[in-house]
Amino acid sequence: MSESRTHQRMRVIGKESVAAGVVAVTLADPDGGEVPEWEPGAHVDLVLGDITRQYSLCGDPADRRTLTVAVLHDPNGRGGSAYIHDKLEVGDLIPIGGPRNAFRLSRAESYLFIAGGIGITPLMPMLREVQGRARPWRLLYGGRMRTSMAFAEELSAAHPNRVEVRPQDEYGLLDLGAALDALEPGAAVYCCGPEPLLQAIETACRARDHLTLHIERFTPKAIDPAAPANSFEVELARSGEVVEVKESESVLDALERRGVHLEFSCREGTCGTCEVAVLAGRPDHRDSVLTEDEQSANDAMMICVSRSHTPRLVLDL
């Protein structure tokens, strides 16, 4: 099935190592035009041969001439990082989708940013933004070792009193409790990194309800293999059409089968592209984008992975 998205071709104008196993790729319009506008937290889809992968933008949103992503080489990944590290060359033309943003920077009294490894990438533009707003902020940045931590040296040099670089081989695991306990009520916590870090920060923040947590996952949360996959119906509110979603397919699959054209990208509940408003019914949320509070509201769902607890969902389609 083809993806219902609009792609723009961009030229690779730069590719450089920024840490052990991490390269930064800079893209520009091949005709010298402006790149699409974006805000901190946004990502782009890179079409790499026959695969499409999402990468966070880590440059400056005020720069309308280039887009920059930083990519960790994951030998156990699904092929995107290997393509970028081993095959992508300066001068190549590649299609991109987006930018899109499911990790927006909110207004808050103060901020704590927590990065694990390549999770620093979506936080980079956020640091620049809150610095410009003159809001109090700190960055706690962990990684396996200092040489593998992209942008750590420049961040420490630019903000010596705000940035704590804590490689695991020197300091052990990040002391999340101490960092959270130092925050005032109303602080926003933004975290991106490997799944163990995200699970740890989610657990820690549940006991501190005076804080607001925002996380972004690079890989989908694990779904309980015993979770039911019953069939159900989806009603399209704008047309009144009713579509059956079979046990073996997603809502997105079922709607595509009926000829409904929708925006989507990752098909695994991590990018937020396929978000649809829910008007009635109770979704069975299985995405890695919405916060617990957003899921509890039951007014939106990611149709590529989420299902239904009720016999019918009414969607704003």
Side-chain angles (χ1 to χ4, degrees):
M1 296 180 183
S2 62
E3 299 188 9
S4 176
R5 298 179 300 162
T6 301
H7 290 128
Q8 175 180 350
R9 293 176 71 82
M10 304 289 285
R11 188 175 300 281
V12 179
I13 64 168
K15 179 182 175 182
E16 63 174 323
S17 174
V18 291
V22 181
V23 294
V25 176
T26 304
L27 306 170
D29 184 282
D31 299 319
E34 292 187 336
V35 297
E37 292 186 82
W38 60 282
E39 295 180 347
H43 68 265
V44 289
D45 305 326
L46 300 189
V47 182
L48 308 166
D50 59 355
I51 61 176
T52 300
R53 296 291 181 263
Q54 294 76 41
Y55 296 103
S56 297
L57 291 167
C58 59
D60 183 355
D63 176 6
R64 296 301 311 283
R65 293 295 174 182
T66 64
L67 299 172
T68 302
V69 299
V71 181
L72 171 68
H73 188 200
D74 181 0
N76 299 314
R78 298 170 299 152
S81 69
Y83 186 103
I84 288 173
H85 277 257
D86 301 334
K87 297 182 180 179
L88 193 67
E89 297 182 353
V90 172
D92 286 354
L93 283 171
I94 60 172
I96 72 163
R100 300 184 180 89
N101 202 340
F103 193 42
R104 296 185 182 278
L105 182 65
S106 65
R107 295 280 177 176
E109 294 299 316
S110 61
Y111 299 86
L112 172 64
F113 299 97
I114 302 173
I118 198 62
I120 190 62
T121 52
L123 304 184
M124 293 284 289
M126 294 186 181
L127 304 181
R128 183 180 290 107
E129 175 72 16
V130 297
Q131 181 73 12
R133 295 180 189 174
R135 306 309 302 168
W137 65 272
R138 287 179 57 217
L139 169 66
L140 183 60
Y141 184 8
R144 292 179 182 174
M145 57 189 68
R146 194 174 295 271
T147 55
S148 69
M149 299 170 66
F151 312 115
E153 186 174 332
E154 66 182 76
L155 286 169
S156 296
H159 310 286
N161 298 320
R162 297 181 185 270
V163 174
E164 294 181 61
V165 175
R166 294 292 184 266
Q168 187 173 347
D169 63 342
E170 298 177 28
Y171 294 91
L173 296 177
L174 296 177
D175 190 345
L176 301 178
L180 295 174
D181 288 341
L183 297 176
E184 297 291 332
V189 180
Y190 279 79
C191 183
C192 186
E195 187 62 23
L197 171 63
L198 301 184
Q199 292 183 3
I201 196 66
E202 285 179 323
T203 299
C205 283
R206 286 193 192 103
R208 299 168 173 85
D209 57 8
H210 61 290
L211 306 176
T212 303
L213 175 63
H214 307 264
I215 63 176
E216 182 170 60
R217 283 180 160 87
F218 291 141
T219 56
K221 290 188 291 188
I223 300 298
D224 183 354
N230 299 330
S231 62
F232 57 96
E233 293 179 337
V234 167
E235 179 181 337
L236 310 184
R238 300 178 199 174
S239 66
E241 183 178 3
V242 176
V243 179
E244 180 188 7
V245 180
K246 299 176 183 178
E247 296 178 8
S248 60
E249 63 184 353
S250 67
V251 176
L252 175 60
D253 291 335
L255 295 179
E256 283 198 309
R257 175 167 49 80
R258 291 292 288 268
V260 180
H261 298 291
L262 299 158
E263 290 286 323
F264 67 91
S265 182
C266 72
R267 284 191 177 272
E268 57 185 13
T270 58
C271 74
T273 305
C274 69
E275 181 175 354
V276 172
V278 178
L279 304 180
R282 186 163 64 94
D284 176 7
H285 295 287
R286 302 185 182 190
D287 68 275
S288 304
V289 177
L290 298 175
T291 65
E292 291 182 2
D293 287 344
E294 290 170 336
Q295 290 185 346
S296 297
N298 287 323
D299 58 4
M301 67 182 292
M302 305 301 156
I303 60 173
C304 68
V305 292
S306 295
R307 302 189 67 78
S308 182
H309 287 298
T310 50
R312 177 176 291 192
L313 292 173
V314 181
L315 303 182
D316 186 18
L317 291 171

